[in-house]
Amino acid sequence: MDSSRFLSTSVTELKPSGIRKFFDLAASMDGVISLGVGEPDFVTSWSVREACILSLENGHTAYSANAGLIELREEISLYLDRKFHVNYEAEREVLVTVGASQALDLALRAIINPGDEVIIPEPCFVAYGPLVKLAGGIPVYVSSNSNNGFKTLPGQIEKAITQNTKAVLICSPSNPTGSMLSRKDLEKISVIIKQHDLLAISDEIYAELSYDEEFTSLASLEGMRERTITISGFSKGFAMTGWRLGFAAAPAPLLQAMLKIHQYSMMCAPTMSQHAALEALRNGEEDVQRMKTDYRRRRNYFVRSLNEAGFPCQTPGGAFYAFPSVEYTGLSSEEFAEQLLLEEKVAVVPGSVFGPSGEGFVRCSYASSLAQLEEALKRMAAFMKRRQRSGAHWKTLQDF
Amino acid sequence: MKLNEKETEVLEILEENSRLPIASISKMAGITSEEAEQIIHKLEQEKVIIDYAATIDWRKVEGHEGVTAMIDVKVAPKRGVGFDEIAERVYRFKEVQSVYLMSGAYDLSVVIEGRSMSEVARFVSEKLSTLDSVLSTTTHFILKKYKHDGRIFETGEEDKRMVVTP
């Protein structure tokens, strides 16, 4: 019997993540240097781990409130105010979730009616489109361009707006490009969102990792707080990916709707992770800054070396991804990633899995030790030289 | 001495790994190789960079099982020079790795390295204790080094991440 006939149409129509395919190939090989990792290479700070151990020792093994421990929500509220100048009421406007991914899922399910459109600038995190579809909506992708550092242009967003548009989903700093929207960029986008009476979902999971300019939270801009769902979490900035802890902050009517779905589906986030997150917010600032300094130095090193090796790459303003062009190897991003993996055992993620604008680029994470980055760069340069010798279409950096 | 942002950055990078080539240091700090060289030269001249050292776990090297002792020393300070004179006399001994002036129950904390416990004991009884200003010494032998100068000797923390993640 073919049990797949029981599956829902929305799931069968969903394409598996392009990253998954690459993971399977890379995982089957030994000795791979991975630049394909979308998570910090730091282990969670010891004081945070210890807070979790203490939580267990004290027997905190029960459910927490659906919305999360009130002391954690209060701490999140203080954190958002202190760092990003947005004010949310802990009791009714903050929700602790199982990772930022769940917060995003809840936000979309809470607002989408069948056929509603959500505008998503791409290349973007692989889950955005599928989550919109699973919520019954239609993702409307807006392409971006490497010439302006993959920044979303307000005019493009405006062009994509129809009478069915419900929301715009912004992610800055961006996964996969690392591009960061400045305060001015966001102000221009917010004018359009307000003019067309839309909602904004702002994925700020990489907010802590912005290197060259101060991060601006979309909700902090004039008139945006009441029409923004802010999504963030502890995975990236606090190096807590495996703890699965995120949060959403939004005006009470939106947040309470998300809470309804959360309480019926997830109940609550893991209690011991919540205790760990409390410690991270109260005493983790120094560790966050230390990791950020380290990422910034590695970014500088990695991007300059990529350019020297013949992979043109703009300096990303945030996150821990570089998004170099591989166009001049004469290969598609998928071909490049596959051949680089097979020939040089370096794993990168093809840009095309993040959307059509990502074609011709690959996502390289520099959240790896300097020694690993050095070795990966050496192998990538050797790969490039071989392509050059084999007569592949080749340009030098001066041609760009 | 007041340092600018780039000079501080180069110092921090060097403190983390003093063996990095100039090319890597300059890339990490976002400056040219010439600038990096100039900064390092200046900081060496000014004795801000005192030395480039390696942290070595000698227990792993056959025939190098040395001992380290921390000695609490009570001394009588001298008029006019306080503790400085006696501290200098102590740190001049080649066996002495570090000397700190301490607050609290004793005055100087002296770290000694020797080839054996008896060698350290001999140094304490024959050289350190016999100095005029030294009133008493208490010797603590280090049994095992877990962390030294900010470096954990055995972390056991390898990269546990999957090869490719979203």
Side-chain angles (χ1 to χ4, degrees), chain A residues 59-103:
Chain A
H60 291 303
T61 57
Y63 293 131
S64 74
N66 289 132
L69 295 168
I70 184 62
E71 56 266 48
L72 178 58
R73 281 181 279 153
E74 278 165 359
E75 209 60 56
I76 291 168
S77 168
L78 289 171
Y79 165 79
L80 290 173
D81 193 17
R82 180 174 72 236
K83 281 230 143 174
F84 309 124
H85 320 296
V86 277
N87 198 279
Y88 289 103
E89 190 198 313
E91 291 247 5
R92 297 182 321 127
E93 296 184 323
V94 177
L95 171 63
V96 179
T97 58
V98 181
S101 315
Q102 195 221 348

mmCIF file of all heavy atoms in Angstrom, chain A residues 59-103:
data_model
loop_
_atom_site.group_PDB
_atom_site.id
_atom_site.type_symbol
_atom_site.label_atom_id
_atom_site.label_comp_id
_atom_site.label_asym_id
_atom_site.label_seq_id
_atom_site.Cartn_x
_atom_site.Cartn_y
_atom_site.Cartn_z
ATOM 1 N N GLY A 59 15.326 20.906 40.217
ATOM 2 C CA GLY A 59 14.103 20.177 39.862
ATOM 3 C C GLY A 59 13.129 20.946 38.998
ATOM 4 O O GLY A 59 11.929 20.661 39.009
ATOM 5 N N HIS A 60 13.635 21.938 38.239
ATOM 6 C CA HIS A 60 12.733 22.679 37.352
ATOM 7 C C HIS A 60 12.473 21.864 36.093
ATOM 8 O O HIS A 60 12.966 22.184 35.003
ATOM 9 C CB HIS A 60 13.333 24.036 36.990
ATOM 10 C CG HIS A 60 13.397 24.971 38.142
ATOM 11 N ND1 HIS A 60 12.285 25.333 38.875
ATOM 12 C CD2 HIS A 60 14.437 25.615 38.718
ATOM 13 C CE1 HIS A 60 12.645 26.165 39.828
ATOM 14 N NE2 HIS A 60 13.943 26.344 39.773
ATOM 15 N N THR A 61 11.717 20.826 36.230
ATOM 16 C CA THR A 61 11.497 19.936 35.088
ATOM 17 C C THR A 61 10.041 19.952 34.609
ATOM 18 O O THR A 61 9.651 19.112 33.808
ATOM 19 C CB THR A 61 11.888 18.491 35.454
ATOM 20 O OG1 THR A 61 11.110 18.117 36.604
ATOM 21 C CG2 THR A 61 13.363 18.362 35.776
ATOM 22 N N ALA A 62 9.277 20.910 35.132
ATOM 23 C CA ALA A 62 7.855 20.957 34.769
ATOM 24 C C ALA A 62 7.612 21.966 33.645
ATOM 25 O O ALA A 62 8.520 22.704 33.265
ATOM 26 C CB ALA A 62 7.041 21.347 35.995
ATOM 27 N N TYR A 63 6.389 22.002 33.115
ATOM 28 C CA TYR A 63 6.014 23.031 32.130
ATOM 29 C C TYR A 63 6.219 24.407 32.738
ATOM 30 O O TYR A 63 6.096 24.577 33.951
ATOM 31 C CB TYR A 63 4.518 22.945 31.806
ATOM 32 C CG TYR A 63 4.063 21.708 31.075
ATOM 33 C CD1 TYR A 63 2.957 21.006 31.541
ATOM 34 C CD2 TYR A 63 4.675 21.281 29.906
ATOM 35 C CE1 TYR A 63 2.472 19.889 30.870
ATOM 36 C CE2 TYR A 63 4.205 20.164 29.234
ATOM 37 C CZ TYR A 63 3.110 19.466 29.722
ATOM 38 O OH TYR A 63 2.643 18.372 29.052
ATOM 39 N N SER A 64 6.446 25.387 31.885
ATOM 40 C CA SER A 64 6.367 26.774 32.359
ATOM 41 C C SER A 64 5.019 27.324 31.883
ATOM 42 O O SER A 64 4.244 26.600 31.255
ATOM 43 C CB SER A 64 7.513 27.602 31.777
ATOM 44 O OG SER A 64 7.265 27.870 30.416
ATOM 45 N N ALA A 65 4.757 28.589 32.183
ATOM 46 C CA ALA A 65 3.557 29.219 31.617
ATOM 47 C C ALA A 65 3.644 29.090 30.097
ATOM 48 O O ALA A 65 4.741 29.042 29.540
ATOM 49 C CB ALA A 65 3.517 30.682 32.011
ATOM 50 N N ASN A 66 2.486 29.045 29.420
ATOM 51 C CA ASN A 66 2.501 28.908 27.958
ATOM 52 C C ASN A 66 3.377 29.959 27.296
ATOM 53 O O ASN A 66 4.159 29.654 26.391
ATOM 54 C CB ASN A 66 1.076 29.038 27.402
ATOM 55 C CG ASN A 66 0.213 27.840 27.746
ATOM 56 O OD1 ASN A 66 -0.912 27.975 28.216
ATOM 57 N ND2 ASN A 66 0.737 26.635 27.537
ATOM 58 N N ALA A 67 3.281 31.170 27.760
ATOM 59 C CA ALA A 67 4.032 32.269 27.117
ATOM 60 C C ALA A 67 5.482 32.290 27.548
ATOM 61 O O ALA A 67 6.274 33.060 27.020
ATOM 62 C CB ALA A 67 3.376 33.599 27.440
ATOM 63 N N GLY A 68 5.829 31.442 28.509
ATOM 64 C CA GLY A 68 7.216 31.419 28.999
ATOM 65 C C GLY A 68 7.290 31.935 30.429
ATOM 66 O O GLY A 68 6.344 32.567 30.917
ATOM 67 N N LEU A 69 8.403 31.658 31.090
ATOM 68 C CA LEU A 69 8.586 32.132 32.469
ATOM 69 C C LEU A 69 8.429 33.649 32.492
ATOM 70 O O LEU A 69 9.036 34.340 31.662
ATOM 71 C CB LEU A 69 9.989 31.790 32.973
ATOM 72 C CG LEU A 69 10.354 30.308 33.126
ATOM 73 C CD1 LEU A 69 11.858 30.157 33.347
ATOM 74 C CD2 LEU A 69 9.580 29.701 34.294
ATOM 75 N N ILE A 70 7.653 34.152 33.421
ATOM 76 C CA ILE A 70 7.419 35.599 33.437
ATOM 77 C C ILE A 70 8.727 36.367 33.659
ATOM 78 O O ILE A 70 8.949 37.420 33.062
ATOM 79 C CB ILE A 70 6.318 36.002 34.461
ATOM 80 C CG1 ILE A 70 6.037 37.502 34.378
ATOM 81 C CG2 ILE A 70 6.659 35.582 35.869
ATOM 82 C CD1 ILE A 70 5.517 37.999 33.051
ATOM 83 N N GLU A 71 9.627 35.783 34.494
ATOM 84 C CA GLU A 71 10.893 36.518 34.707
ATOM 85 C C GLU A 71 11.725 36.588 33.422
ATOM 86 O O GLU A 71 12.427 37.555 33.182
ATOM 87 C CB GLU A 71 11.703 35.941 35.871
ATOM 88 C CG GLU A 71 12.054 34.478 35.795
ATOM 89 C CD GLU A 71 11.063 33.574 36.518
ATOM 90 O OE1 GLU A 71 9.847 33.746 36.306
ATOM 91 O OE2 GLU A 71 11.506 32.669 37.265
ATOM 92 N N LEU A 72 11.601 35.556 32.570
ATOM 93 C CA LEU A 72 12.326 35.596 31.292
ATOM 94 C C LEU A 72 11.690 36.620 30.351
ATOM 95 O O LEU A 72 12.376 37.394 29.691
ATOM 96 C CB LEU A 72 12.356 34.207 30.634
ATOM 97 C CG LEU A 72 13.049 34.147 29.263
ATOM 98 C CD1 LEU A 72 14.495 34.629 29.330
ATOM 99 C CD2 LEU A 72 13.020 32.735 28.689
ATOM 100 N N ARG A 73 10.356 36.639 30.333
ATOM 101 C CA ARG A 73 9.681 37.628 29.473
ATOM 102 C C ARG A 73 10.033 39.050 29.915
ATOM 103 O O ARG A 73 10.241 39.938 29.086
ATOM 104 C CB ARG A 73 8.169 37.405 29.502
ATOM 105 C CG ARG A 73 7.742 36.247 28.604
ATOM 106 C CD ARG A 73 6.258 36.059 28.612
ATOM 107 N NE ARG A 73 5.821 35.308 29.789
ATOM 108 C CZ ARG A 73 4.629 35.406 30.344
ATOM 109 N NH1 ARG A 73 3.751 36.261 29.865
ATOM 110 N NH2 ARG A 73 4.307 34.662 31.379
ATOM 111 N N GLU A 74 10.129 39.222 31.233
ATOM 112 C CA GLU A 74 10.509 40.561 31.734
ATOM 113 C C GLU A 74 11.925 40.913 31.301
ATOM 114 O O GLU A 74 12.212 42.040 30.898
ATOM 115 C CB GLU A 74 10.394 40.601 33.274
ATOM 116 C CG GLU A 74 8.976 40.848 33.728
ATOM 117 C CD GLU A 74 8.752 40.538 35.204
ATOM 118 O OE1 GLU A 74 9.704 40.107 35.893
ATOM 119 O OE2 GLU A 74 7.608 40.716 35.653
ATOM 120 N N GLU A 75 12.789 39.922 31.370
ATOM 121 C CA GLU A 75 14.186 40.156 30.993
ATOM 122 C C GLU A 75 14.291 40.428 29.485
ATOM 123 O O GLU A 75 15.080 41.276 29.059
ATOM 124 C CB GLU A 75 15.006 38.917 31.382
ATOM 125 C CG GLU A 75 16.446 39.171 31.723
ATOM 126 C CD GLU A 75 16.676 40.113 32.903
ATOM 127 O OE1 GLU A 75 16.169 39.864 34.009
ATOM 128 O OE2 GLU A 75 17.363 41.120 32.684
ATOM 129 N N ILE A 76 13.499 39.722 28.688
ATOM 130 C CA ILE A 76 13.492 39.959 27.235
ATOM 131 C C ILE A 76 13.011 41.381 26.944
ATOM 132 O O ILE A 76 13.574 42.104 26.124
ATOM 133 C CB ILE A 76 12.602 38.915 26.506
ATOM 134 C CG1 ILE A 76 13.261 37.526 26.565
ATOM 135 C CG2 ILE A 76 12.349 39.324 25.059
ATOM 136 C CD1 ILE A 76 12.356 36.379 26.129
ATOM 137 N N SER A 77 11.966 41.790 27.676
ATOM 138 C CA SER A 77 11.426 43.132 27.494
ATOM 139 C C SER A 77 12.492 44.188 27.817
ATOM 140 O O SER A 77 12.681 45.155 27.063
ATOM 141 C CB SER A 77 10.195 43.278 28.390
ATOM 142 O OG SER A 77 9.801 44.602 28.452
ATOM 143 N N LEU A 78 13.201 43.993 28.918
ATOM 144 C CA LEU A 78 14.280 44.927 29.298
ATOM 145 C C LEU A 78 15.391 44.926 28.244
ATOM 146 O O LEU A 78 15.928 45.973 27.881
ATOM 147 C CB LEU A 78 14.888 44.512 30.654
ATOM 148 C CG LEU A 78 14.014 44.727 31.884
ATOM 149 C CD1 LEU A 78 14.651 44.068 33.109
ATOM 150 C CD2 LEU A 78 13.824 46.222 32.138
ATOM 151 N N TYR A 79 15.715 43.740 27.751
ATOM 152 C CA TYR A 79 16.781 43.584 26.748
ATOM 153 C C TYR A 79 16.437 44.333 25.457
ATOM 154 O O TYR A 79 17.253 45.074 24.917
ATOM 155 C CB TYR A 79 16.954 42.083 26.491
ATOM 156 C CG TYR A 79 17.734 41.677 25.276
ATOM 157 C CD1 TYR A 79 19.120 41.716 25.273
ATOM 158 C CD2 TYR A 79 17.083 41.198 24.134
ATOM 159 C CE1 TYR A 79 19.844 41.306 24.148
ATOM 160 C CE2 TYR A 79 17.795 40.787 23.019
ATOM 161 C CZ TYR A 79 19.169 40.841 23.027
ATOM 162 O OH TYR A 79 19.878 40.437 21.924
ATOM 163 N N LEU A 80 15.191 44.158 25.002
ATOM 164 C CA LEU A 80 14.784 44.823 23.754
ATOM 165 C C LEU A 80 14.801 46.342 23.914
ATOM 166 O O LEU A 80 15.160 47.076 22.999
ATOM 167 C CB LEU A 80 13.384 44.343 23.336
ATOM 168 C CG LEU A 80 13.308 42.901 22.839
ATOM 169 C CD1 LEU A 80 11.858 42.474 22.615
ATOM 170 C CD2 LEU A 80 14.103 42.730 21.542
ATOM 171 N N ASP A 81 14.428 46.792 25.102
ATOM 172 C CA ASP A 81 14.415 48.229 25.374
ATOM 173 C C ASP A 81 15.852 48.764 25.434
ATOM 174 O O ASP A 81 16.198 49.766 24.805
ATOM 175 C CB ASP A 81 13.694 48.455 26.714
ATOM 176 C CG ASP A 81 13.361 49.918 26.908
ATOM 177 O OD1 ASP A 81 13.380 50.655 25.914
ATOM 178 O OD2 ASP A 81 13.090 50.328 28.047
ATOM 179 N N ARG A 82 16.689 48.042 26.187
ATOM 180 C CA ARG A 82 18.071 48.463 26.417
ATOM 181 C C ARG A 82 18.873 48.481 25.114
ATOM 182 O O ARG A 82 19.574 49.420 24.814
ATOM 183 C CB ARG A 82 18.684 47.462 27.403
ATOM 184 C CG ARG A 82 20.121 47.703 27.799
ATOM 185 C CD ARG A 82 20.549 46.719 28.895
ATOM 186 N NE ARG A 82 20.729 45.345 28.435
ATOM 187 C CZ ARG A 82 20.113 44.294 28.939
ATOM 188 N NH1 ARG A 82 19.245 44.432 29.926
ATOM 189 N NH2 ARG A 82 20.339 43.073 28.477
ATOM 190 N N LYS A 83 18.701 47.436 24.332
ATOM 191 C CA LYS A 83 19.560 47.284 23.153
ATOM 192 C C LYS A 83 18.990 47.921 21.899
ATOM 193 O O LYS A 83 19.723 48.448 21.079
ATOM 194 C CB LYS A 83 19.765 45.791 22.870
ATOM 195 C CG LYS A 83 20.788 45.171 23.783
ATOM 196 C CD LYS A 83 21.779 44.406 22.978
ATOM 197 C CE LYS A 83 23.148 44.523 23.518
ATOM 198 N NZ LYS A 83 24.092 43.661 22.828
ATOM 199 N N PHE A 84 17.675 47.795 21.726
ATOM 200 C CA PHE A 84 17.117 48.199 20.432
ATOM 201 C C PHE A 84 16.058 49.294 20.546
ATOM 202 O O PHE A 84 15.403 49.631 19.570
ATOM 203 C CB PHE A 84 16.545 46.964 19.709
ATOM 204 C CG PHE A 84 17.521 45.824 19.647
ATOM 205 C CD1 PHE A 84 17.202 44.576 20.141
ATOM 206 C CD2 PHE A 84 18.782 46.020 19.106
ATOM 207 C CE1 PHE A 84 18.117 43.533 20.097
ATOM 208 C CE2 PHE A 84 19.710 44.987 19.055
ATOM 209 C CZ PHE A 84 19.378 43.742 19.558
ATOM 210 N N HIS A 85 15.869 49.774 21.762
ATOM 211 C CA HIS A 85 14.965 50.907 21.997
ATOM 212 C C HIS A 85 13.532 50.645 21.556
ATOM 213 O O HIS A 85 12.878 51.508 20.963
ATOM 214 C CB HIS A 85 15.514 52.170 21.328
ATOM 215 C CG HIS A 85 17.009 52.288 21.465
ATOM 216 N ND1 HIS A 85 17.620 52.439 22.694
ATOM 217 C CD2 HIS A 85 18.004 52.233 20.552
ATOM 218 C CE1 HIS A 85 18.929 52.472 22.517
ATOM 219 N NE2 HIS A 85 19.201 52.330 21.231
ATOM 220 N N VAL A 86 13.071 49.434 21.802
ATOM 221 C CA VAL A 86 11.656 49.129 21.589
ATOM 222 C C VAL A 86 11.076 48.637 22.905
ATOM 223 O O VAL A 86 11.713 47.867 23.623
ATOM 224 C CB VAL A 86 11.408 48.057 20.488
ATOM 225 C CG1 VAL A 86 11.416 48.692 19.121
ATOM 226 C CG2 VAL A 86 12.423 46.943 20.557
ATOM 227 N N ASN A 87 9.866 49.116 23.166
ATOM 228 C CA ASN A 87 9.279 48.845 24.469
ATOM 229 C C ASN A 87 8.104 47.892 24.363
ATOM 230 O O ASN A 87 7.104 48.205 23.728
ATOM 231 C CB ASN A 87 8.831 50.196 25.036
ATOM 232 C CG ASN A 87 8.624 50.101 26.513
ATOM 233 O OD1 ASN A 87 7.575 49.626 26.941
ATOM 234 N ND2 ASN A 87 9.616 50.494 27.278
ATOM 235 N N TYR A 88 8.254 46.709 24.970
ATOM 236 C CA TYR A 88 7.155 45.728 24.951
ATOM 237 C C TYR A 88 6.784 45.349 26.380
ATOM 238 O O TYR A 88 7.660 45.192 27.236
ATOM 239 C CB TYR A 88 7.568 44.458 24.192
ATOM 240 C CG TYR A 88 7.681 44.651 22.714
ATOM 241 C CD1 TYR A 88 8.921 44.779 22.103
ATOM 242 C CD2 TYR A 88 6.536 44.711 21.918
ATOM 243 C CE1 TYR A 88 9.027 44.956 20.729
ATOM 244 C CE2 TYR A 88 6.639 44.887 20.541
ATOM 245 C CZ TYR A 88 7.883 45.003 19.955
ATOM 246 O OH TYR A 88 7.978 45.186 18.605
ATOM 247 N N GLU A 89 5.490 45.183 26.590
ATOM 248 C CA GLU A 89 5.006 44.808 27.914
ATOM 249 C C GLU A 89 5.209 43.293 28.085
ATOM 250 O O GLU A 89 4.696 42.502 27.277
ATOM 251 C CB GLU A 89 3.516 45.168 27.997
ATOM 252 C CG GLU A 89 2.932 45.052 29.369
ATOM 253 C CD GLU A 89 1.423 44.991 29.283
ATOM 254 O OE1 GLU A 89 0.839 45.826 28.548
ATOM 255 O OE2 GLU A 89 0.839 44.096 29.923
ATOM 256 N N ALA A 90 5.961 42.922 29.121
ATOM 257 C CA ALA A 90 6.361 41.515 29.292
ATOM 258 C C ALA A 90 5.152 40.571 29.360
ATOM 259 O O ALA A 90 5.157 39.495 28.759
ATOM 260 C CB ALA A 90 7.205 41.375 30.548
ATOM 261 N N GLU A 91 4.099 40.992 30.060
ATOM 262 C CA GLU A 91 2.957 40.098 30.303
ATOM 263 C C GLU A 91 2.177 39.741 29.046
ATOM 264 O O GLU A 91 1.771 38.606 28.860
ATOM 265 C CB GLU A 91 1.995 40.786 31.288
ATOM 266 C CG GLU A 91 2.545 40.904 32.686
ATOM 267 C CD GLU A 91 1.769 40.059 33.659
ATOM 268 O OE1 GLU A 91 0.870 39.321 33.211
ATOM 269 O OE2 GLU A 91 2.060 40.153 34.869
ATOM 270 N N ARG A 92 1.959 40.728 28.175
ATOM 271 C CA ARG A 92 1.032 40.495 27.067
ATOM 272 C C ARG A 92 1.649 40.639 25.682
ATOM 273 O O ARG A 92 1.014 40.361 24.679
ATOM 274 C CB ARG A 92 -0.167 41.469 27.185
ATOM 275 C CG ARG A 92 -0.991 41.246 28.450
ATOM 276 C CD ARG A 92 -2.188 42.165 28.552
ATOM 277 N NE ARG A 92 -1.900 43.508 28.085
ATOM 278 C CZ ARG A 92 -2.629 44.146 27.165
ATOM 279 N NH1 ARG A 92 -3.667 43.567 26.635
ATOM 280 N NH2 ARG A 92 -2.312 45.366 26.788
ATOM 281 N N GLU A 93 2.912 41.116 25.655
ATOM 282 C CA GLU A 93 3.483 41.407 24.335
ATOM 283 C C GLU A 93 4.775 40.632 24.035
ATOM 284 O O GLU A 93 5.430 40.901 23.040
ATOM 285 C CB GLU A 93 3.733 42.916 24.201
ATOM 286 C CG GLU A 93 2.432 43.714 24.244
ATOM 287 C CD GLU A 93 2.639 45.194 24.024
ATOM 288 O OE1 GLU A 93 3.662 45.741 24.500
ATOM 289 O OE2 GLU A 93 1.774 45.807 23.382
ATOM 290 N N VAL A 94 5.130 39.715 24.909
ATOM 291 C CA VAL A 94 6.340 38.912 24.686
ATOM 292 C C VAL A 94 5.981 37.433 24.812
ATOM 293 O O VAL A 94 5.253 37.040 25.729
ATOM 294 C CB VAL A 94 7.449 39.268 25.707
ATOM 295 C CG1 VAL A 94 8.670 38.361 25.512
ATOM 296 C CG2 VAL A 94 7.864 40.730 25.587
ATOM 297 N N LEU A 95 6.462 36.633 23.881
ATOM 298 C CA LEU A 95 6.189 35.192 23.887
ATOM 299 C C LEU A 95 7.506 34.436 23.708
ATOM 300 O O LEU A 95 8.262 34.715 22.781
ATOM 301 C CB LEU A 95 5.235 34.865 22.726
ATOM 302 C CG LEU A 95 4.968 33.403 22.409
ATOM 303 C CD1 LEU A 95 4.280 32.697 23.584
ATOM 304 C CD2 LEU A 95 4.092 33.281 21.155
ATOM 305 N N VAL A 96 7.760 33.494 24.614
ATOM 306 C CA VAL A 96 8.966 32.667 24.507
ATOM 307 C C VAL A 96 8.620 31.446 23.657
ATOM 308 O O VAL A 96 7.610 30.778 23.907
ATOM 309 C CB VAL A 96 9.466 32.227 25.903
ATOM 310 C CG1 VAL A 96 10.706 31.349 25.769
ATOM 311 C CG2 VAL A 96 9.752 33.439 26.772
ATOM 312 N N THR A 97 9.434 31.179 22.645
ATOM 313 C CA THR A 97 9.114 30.110 21.692
ATOM 314 C C THR A 97 10.249 29.091 21.579
ATOM 315 O O THR A 97 11.328 29.292 22.124
ATOM 316 C CB THR A 97 8.891 30.718 20.284
ATOM 317 O OG1 THR A 97 10.082 31.415 19.917
ATOM 318 C CG2 THR A 97 7.714 31.665 20.283
ATOM 319 N N VAL A 98 9.959 28.025 20.844
ATOM 320 C CA VAL A 98 10.982 27.000 20.616
ATOM 321 C C VAL A 98 11.793 27.419 19.389
ATOM 322 O O VAL A 98 11.516 27.024 18.259
ATOM 323 C CB VAL A 98 10.317 25.620 20.424
ATOM 324 C CG1 VAL A 98 11.375 24.541 20.198
ATOM 325 C CG2 VAL A 98 9.483 25.270 21.644
ATOM 326 N N GLY A 99 12.757 28.262 19.628
ATOM 327 C CA GLY A 99 13.567 28.813 18.539
ATOM 328 C C GLY A 99 12.841 29.946 17.821
ATOM 329 O O GLY A 99 11.603 30.058 17.905
ATOM 330 N N ALA A 100 13.618 30.754 17.113
ATOM 331 C CA ALA A 100 13.004 31.833 16.329
ATOM 332 C C ALA A 100 12.157 31.238 15.211
ATOM 333 O O ALA A 100 11.180 31.844 14.773
ATOM 334 C CB ALA A 100 14.088 32.734 15.751
ATOM 335 N N SER A 101 12.514 30.025 14.776
ATOM 336 C CA SER A 101 11.752 29.373 13.691
ATOM 337 C C SER A 101 10.294 29.181 14.097
ATOM 338 O O SER A 101 9.389 29.406 13.298
ATOM 339 C CB SER A 101 12.336 28.007 13.356
ATOM 340 O OG SER A 101 13.711 28.068 13.266
ATOM 341 N N GLN A 102 10.084 28.756 15.340
ATOM 342 C CA GLN A 102 8.684 28.571 15.770
ATOM 343 C C GLN A 102 7.970 29.915 15.861
ATOM 344 O O GLN A 102 6.789 30.031 15.510
ATOM 345 C CB GLN A 102 8.606 27.843 17.115
ATOM 346 C CG GLN A 102 7.192 27.334 17.394
ATOM 347 C CD GLN A 102 6.720 27.505 18.841
ATOM 348 O OE1 GLN A 102 7.509 27.811 19.738
ATOM 349 N NE2 GLN A 102 5.440 27.294 19.070
ATOM 350 N N ALA A 103 8.699 30.929 16.342
ATOM 351 C CA ALA A 103 8.093 32.258 16.440
ATOM 352 C C ALA A 103 7.617 32.724 15.063
ATOM 353 O O ALA A 103 6.528 33.286 14.915
ATOM 354 C CB ALA A 103 9.100 33.238 17.022
#
